Every structure is written in C-alpha cells, then in structure tokens.
Amino acid sequence: MRSASNRDSVAAWPQGEGPGATMTKAEIVERVYEKIGFSKKEASDVVESIFEILKRTLEQGEKVKISGFGNFVVNRKRARKGRNPQTGAEIVISGRRVLTFKASQVLKKSMNPES
C-alpha cells in the first residue's frame, strides 16, 4: 500500500494509475478493502450495493447529488429530424433519456488546485 504523501505525487503512481488511466470496479473494491479493512467479499458487496442504488435511482429519473463530488441528472431528449449520412435520406431520431454528470466546485478545485 502506498503512503498518503506518495499518492499525491504523479511520479509515485504505479503503472496503470494516474492521468489517462482508467479505474475499474475491481480497483474500487480493492481500495475499499485496503482503506476500511472489510474482507474483499464485504468490500465487493458494499461497492455493488452503492452502484445498484445509484442505478435504480437514475432509472427512475431522479437526480443523484453527492456532496463534494457532483450531480448525476437524467435529461430527456426530444425526437428530432436527422439525415442518414450515406444516403442523405431524412430520418427521425427517437427521443431518449441521457445521463449527465456535473462536477461540484469542490471536485473541480481539487482537480485544479492552482486555479
């Protein structure tokens, strides 16, 4: 496990971490396991439960606000006219729901501390 001071230094990130890297659900489970001390099974259950709650809430069209992190919002897009780029034929693009995320000011400042 890395120390807190090493976590903040870009040079200290192991390969696969840091800018441009992708964190997976398995890595989130691993971090919960390391930080909280649950068993890996318990950490996995906690992470799965949180994601399931978020997913169900968003499926119902409700907003999810996580203080200090940001807001997840489901918006409706209306049906609209479009064109098939290959044939030029006019088509109707059906309406749908889209998920948007807006980062909180706290998260934005932590990502860009010099700003």
Side-chain angles (χ1 to χ4, degrees), residues 9-80:
S9 170
V10 174
W13 279 328
Q15 188 174 5
E17 291 187 24
T22 301
M23 178 177 264
T24 64
K25 192 187 300 185
E27 289 170 330
I28 294 171
V29 168
E30 183 68 26
R31 300 262 177 108
V32 169
Y33 163 74
E34 289 173 358
K35 183 143 182 125
I36 307 297
F38 289 163
S39 70
K40 285 203 178 185
K41 171 77 171 111
E42 289 171 324
S44 178
D45 290 346
V46 167
V47 171
E48 289 292 337
S49 294
I50 290 169
F51 284 132
E52 188 60 34
I53 291 166
L54 292 173
K55 185 174 128 183
R56 284 189 186 151
T57 303
L58 293 167
E59 284 173 348
Q60 294 170 1
E62 296 178 40
K63 180 177 175 179
V64 174
K65 181 176 183 174
I66 303 172
S67 181
F69 186 72
N71 297 317
F72 294 90
V73 181
V74 178
N75 293 315
R76 286 211 162 273
K77 282 192 150 191
R78 296 188 316 246
R80 59 191 170 90

Side-chain angles (χ1 to χ4, degrees), residues 82-103:
R83 291 201 182 274
N84 179 328
Q86 291 181 328
T87 65
E90 206 171 84
I91 58 171
V92 175
I93 300 169
S94 61
R96 62 190 188 276
R97 298 187 313 166
V98 294
L99 179 63
T100 59
F101 173 75
K102 184 171 183 199

